[in-house]
Amino acid sequence: MQPTAIDALLQETRVFPPSDEFVKRANISDPAVYDEAARDFEAFWAKHAEQCLHWFEKWHTVLEWNPPYAKWFIGGKLNACYNCVDRHAQTWRRNKAALIWEGEPGDERVLTYGDLHREVQKFANVLKSLGVQKGDRVCIYMPLIPEAAIAMLACARIGAPHSVVFGGFSADALADRIRDAQAKVLITADGGWRRGAIVPLKRNADDALRQTDSVQTVIVYQRIGGDYTVNMQEGRDHWWHELMQTAPLTCPAEPMDSEDLLYLLYTSGSTGKPKGIMHTTGGYMTGVTLTAKWVFDLKDEDVFWCTADVGWVTGHSYLVYGPLSNGATCVMYEGAPDYPDRDRFWAIVEKYRVTILYTAPTAIRAFMKWGEQYPRKHDLSSLRLLGSVGEPINPEAWMWYHEHIGGGRCPIVDTWWQTETGAIMITPLPSIVATKPGSATKPFPGIFPAILNDKGETVGTNQGGYLVITRPWPSMTRGLWGDPERFVQTYWSKYDGIYFTGDGARQDEDGYFWLLGRVDDVINVSGHRLSTMEVESALVDHHAVAEAAVIGVHHEIKGQGIAAFVIIKEGYTADESLKDALKQHVAQKIGAIARPDQVFFTADLPKTRSGKIMRRLLRDIAEGRALGDTTTLADPSVVQALKEKYEGQEE
Ligand code: PRX
């Protein structure tokens, strides 16, 4: 994070308490809940696991903690799909909207809990008829359409862990994830819509499947249809609608053990290889159900819109599992916020009378830049609560969101959490905690973060340090798929028995947490996690590149942008067309989110005597700061030359 941004955060003193009106109607408004959870966190989680969820069989032991492995609600039996669908479909909610979907071209669908119940059972039968069994991994590579949620829930119903891969990822990225998970089935679509263009999902899937051999069956949903044709491989590929025509209507939900795997979700770490974060059933469902209920204050009359794609953890926890488990009505929108115009989000809020909106700071900053005339065109008076997630929200963006979207009346919940944490960890409870622009405020009840220095000591008020979590919590990841060593190494080796988040933070005099960004080689581009090494590997994969170093640099809209320092091989010309080719190459290898914003050609990179690239110095150069300590460099003149060259090269 920029020094100027930290200064601004230190100076931020505005406080926004919730209105009496909000407090009066809130799901939880008694601050005693924090003390209750602190006194006995196991009892706290057990009480809510029992109240929030339907269990086929109750657990015998709440927690078994053998760091870094936790087991929660041991012996308990439940089903995530049953909790999200069946138990609502058995009540008056059968005819309540579960999903209100809008496609980018403007098509609309509403699925009630009764509809979901039918579709999910039919699709679960389709999966079974194709030989999918409990424990088999199913990869889902879909646009943001109701069938993505139906596919996830159907997998959960029969106990087949899903691995959703974001539809914006490339064929190579998809292949890596399929291979690592050894997925047996791939569920995809012919294509998806993005800014009026077709995303060729099936074509990417075909490319990916040429590189992998575990997938035996592909199910293709026809999202585009018409003249848009895709290749269907005889014996392997099946149309969703054809399989569904003959699928039986009922399929019982499999009673799953609390600790049975619900899903894998790949995320970037500080090495090039993405890691498969594992989430199990009982603890995860407890975490997402309770946080959705309290943080978003979900009620039956709400219309909840989480703008995330199901390809990310936010989509898993707060577009599918958390809100549906609460029986909420969720809006799902397939496309871009600026298509066909920059008021699309506000048109959707007005049209469906959205009451709770959960989105990312990068989107808010883009809206700010586009101007308030776009939200002003629409009636946003239905909104009563706003949320933010994915990266630190700067106070200016927070204030803009508060005023221009929330009309000054909606509390804002800035929610800090990670793919690994499964559910929201640091957040205001909107009726209890007064908010401060830019702060995620307090830990959720039953969550115990701390800020430590390198020696493991708690830092003082307003001092920066490493954010850690000192006690286990139900929705914590149970590990990395197939890589227990990396799990220990990444999260549990810095401090004994304490979860290391990889984020920096400070706590102010009121105990509020202020997140300061990543402290490792992970970069956060528009709220999406990427590793610098992943981008570097994609660059050196290009025939012209000898070596590359990638860093995250401050970006006005995206939070962080990507700058690449590249050494090219002899015989190639360092020109604009090569820069463009390299950017394109990365986008094609990983996905458009990883496209570098800047590429700089260099003859050398600053390295330590042991050969490690000094990224800190590259960041100083890229962000125009005075160079820090260069004494550990093998050849200090490299960095000086680079700085001079960089300052001369305008991107
Ligand atoms: O750096 C933190 C940032 O996003 C990282 C987690 O990324 P991911 O696993 O992709 O999950 C994103 C959605 C939960 C964190 O390590 N982050 C997430 N939310 C916030 C945040 N940083 C500051 N404030 C937040 N509210």
Side-chain angles (χ1 to χ4, degrees):
M1 176 169 279
Q2 294 275 298
T4 47
I6 294 174
D7 293 346
L9 290 180
L10 279 170
Q11 285 156 16
E12 182 56 63
T13 54
R14 288 169 286 198
V15 180
F16 295 82
S19 67
D20 293 343
E21 183 58 26
F22 192 93
V23 176
K24 233 186 290 160
R25 302 198 54 239
N27 283 344
I28 174 92
S29 54
D30 183 359
V33 67
Y34 286 99
D35 288 338
E36 181 201 333
R39 263 195 312 275
D40 186 346
F41 74 103
E42 290 186 36
F44 168 83
W45 285 115
K47 172 172 132 186
H48 292 289
E50 186 154 21
Q51 284 177 4
C52 286
L53 295 174
H54 171 275
W55 296 81
F56 296 124
E57 251 174 69
K58 204 184 155 180
W59 57 87
H60 52 73
T61 307
V62 177
L63 170 66
E64 197 182 279
W65 178 222
N66 294 310
Y69 294 103
K71 287 185 180 170
W72 282 87
F73 313 120
I74 305 166
K77 299 253 187 259
L78 77 168
N79 184 286
C81 178
Y82 186 94
N83 273 283
C84 291
V85 182
D86 301 44
R87 64 167 166 159
H88 308 305
Q90 287 156 8
T91 67
W92 67 269
R93 289 196 186 110
R94 183 160 193 86
N95 294 317
K96 174 184 172 172
L99 290 177
I100 298 177
W101 174 81
E102 181 156 311
E104 196 189 73
D107 36 351
E108 294 164 29
R109 283 164 62 194
V110 177
L111 275 87
T112 64
Y113 276 95
D115 294 332
L116 255 192
H117 193 217
R118 185 186 60 248
E119 296 299 301
V120 156
Q121 292 191 81
K122 282 174 68 181
F123 195 64
N125 280 326
V126 165
L127 292 174
K128 276 186 169 172
S129 72
L130 293 168
V132 179
Q133 291 175 358
K134 187 172 167 178
D136 288 340
R137 275 83 55 211
V138 174
C139 182
I140 300 175
Y141 181 63
M142 299 273 268
L144 197 48
I145 54 177
E147 282 66 23
I150 291 168
M152 289 164 76
L153 292 163
C155 287
R157 190 167 193 88
I158 61 170
H162 53 71
S163 165
V164 183
V165 177
F166 172 53
F169 273 129
S170 67
D172 286 4
L174 175 62
D176 287 345
R177 287 155 178 78
I178 290 175
R179 196 179 305 110
D180 192 82
Q182 286 294 295
K184 190 167 166 183
V185 171
L186 173 65
I187 306 169
T188 188
D190 52 351
W193 291 107
R194 188 77 188 171
R195 292 204 172 85
I198 295 169
V199 183
L201 294 170
K202 178 63 167 64
R203 207 173 66 205
N204 292 346
D206 289 338
D207 285 351
L209 294 182
R210 272 191 283 277
Q211 307 172 40
T212 54
D213 53 18
S214 62
V215 170
Q216 295 154 12
T217 307
V218 181
I219 304 172
V220 187
Y221 182 81
Q222 194 172 55
R223 163 71 187 118
I224 309 291
D227 295 339
Y228 186 73
T229 53
V230 293
N231 170 50
M232 295 292 280
Q233 187 177 308
E234 183 74 39
R236 184 193 72 179
D237 301 352
H238 309 266
W239 286 110
W240 174 298
H241 57 270
E242 287 176 5
L243 295 170
M244 287 291 263
Q245 264 169 17
T246 50
L249 278 173
T250 54
C251 170
E254 179 77 22
M256 301 293 285
D257 194 275
S258 257
E259 285 298 332
D260 275 339
L261 190 60
L262 175 62
Y263 69 76
L264 291 178
L265 183 57
Y266 284 83
T267 186
S268 294
S270 48
T271 73
K273 188 174 177 290
K275 45 196 181 186
I277 303 290
M278 299 198 280
H279 281 295
T280 56
T281 311
Y284 175 81
M285 286 304 293
T286 302
V288 298
T289 307
L290 187 65
T291 50
K293 182 171 173 185
W294 283 3
V295 176
F296 299 116
D297 193 42
L298 279 179
K299 308 224 172 53
D300 263 321
E301 57 275 28
D302 276 312
V303 178
F304 178 66
W305 183 18
C306 165
T307 66
D309 190 281
V310 282
W312 310 107
V313 75
T314 309
H316 282 60
S317 299
Y318 299 106
L319 180 55
V320 179
Y321 290 112
L324 294 180
S325 177
N326 280 285
T329 294
C330 302
V331 171
M332 186 188 245
Y333 165 58
E334 178 186 34
D338 54 354
Y339 191 86
D341 203 352
R342 291 170 165 178
D343 66 342
R344 186 67 185 268
F345 270 28
W346 319 124
I348 291 175
V349 168
E350 179 174 24
K351 180 171 170 189
Y352 301 111
R353 305 297 293 158
V354 172
T355 60
I356 304 164
L357 175 69
Y358 190 34
T359 194
T362 186
I364 299 165
R365 287 190 297 263
F367 299 141
M368 248 172 110
K369 194 170 167 210
W370 296 340
E372 65 232 39
Q373 66 275 22
Y374 292 104
R376 225 189 291 129
K377 276 204 241 170
H378 297 277
D379 176 6
L380 306 183
S381 63
S382 56
L383 288 170
R384 66 180 194 90
L385 178 64
L386 303 175
S388 170
V389 62
E391 50 179 318
I393 179 164
N394 44 313
E396 304 72 51
W398 195 103
M399 286 306 300
W400 190 90
Y401 197 29
H402 180 71
E403 281 168 27
H404 298 290
I405 307 305
R409 74 185 174 277
C410 304
I412 296 181
V413 286
D414 172 8
T415 61
W416 177 89
W417 58 295
Q418 308 176 299
T419 308
E420 293 85 341
T421 70
I424 292 169
M425 302 288 278
I426 304 180
T427 175
L429 286 181
S431 58
I432 302 178
V433 179
T435 52
K436 299 184 188 184
S439 171
T441 78
K442 305 259 183 179
F444 189 84
I447 302 294
F448 303 92
I451 302 175
L452 305 182
N453 64 16
D454 267 318
K455 289 190 219 136
E457 300 154 345
T458 308
V459 300
T461 302
N462 280 325
Q463 281 175 357
Y466 301 115
L467 179 68
V468 299
I469 315 291
T470 61
R471 296 190 203 171
W473 64 102
S475 64
M476 68 197 287
T477 176
R478 300 304 193 260
L480 302 183
W481 178 256
D483 205 345
E485 269 162 45
R486 188 174 175 196
F487 180 55
V488 172
Q489 176 58 32
T490 312
Y491 307 100
W492 303 93
S493 61
K494 193 162 176 72
Y495 306 108
D496 201 21
I498 290 179
Y499 174 79
F500 174 67
T501 63
D503 275 27
R506 72 177 173 89
Q507 235 180 325
D508 70 13
E509 43 292 332
D510 298 322
Y512 279 39
F513 284 80
W514 298 77
L515 276 300
L516 303 173
R518 299 290 303 194
V519 295
D520 51 12
D521 289 330
V522 170
I523 43 183
N524 191 325
V525 181
S526 303
H528 301 319
R529 244 162 98 168
L530 286 168
S531 94
T532 48
M533 279 176 69
E534 219 173 333
V535 182
E536 285 164 8
S537 310
L539 282 165
V540 295
D541 177 79
H542 189 277
H543 50 85
V545 177
E547 210 177 332
V550 163
I551 52 167
V553 289
H554 178 73
H555 187 285
E556 204 192 334
I557 305 278
K558 299 179 183 179
Q560 282 192 303
I562 299 175
F565 292 80
V566 174
I567 304 176
I568 53 170
K569 290 182 189 157
E570 263 180 53
Y572 289 93
T573 316
D575 58 13
E576 286 305 311
S577 76
L578 183 57
K579 275 187 187 175
D580 290 342
L582 294 181
K583 290 179 186 176
Q584 184 50 32
H585 187 72
V586 175
Q588 196 218 320
K589 290 298 287 182
I590 304 175
I593 50 168
R595 177 192 292 272
D597 296 275
Q598 300 164 305
V599 172
F600 293 97
F601 294 120
T602 174
D604 228 330
L605 288 166
K607 287 189 186 151
T608 61
R609 285 179 204 110
S610 61
K612 252 184 99 174
I613 295 171
M614 298 272 291
R615 292 171 200 284
R616 178 176 56 77
L617 291 175
L618 292 176
R619 268 193 294 271
D620 288 345
I621 294 171
E623 295 185 342
R625 279 191 294 274
L627 293 177
D629 185 9
T630 57
T631 51
T632 52
L633 282 176
D635 179 1
S637 67
V638 169
V639 72
Q640 198 51 46
L642 194 57
K643 184 169 165 62
E644 280 158 23
K645 187 151 178 237
Y646 187 99
E647 282 162 359
Q649 278 188 52
E650 275 308 311
E651 253 285 342

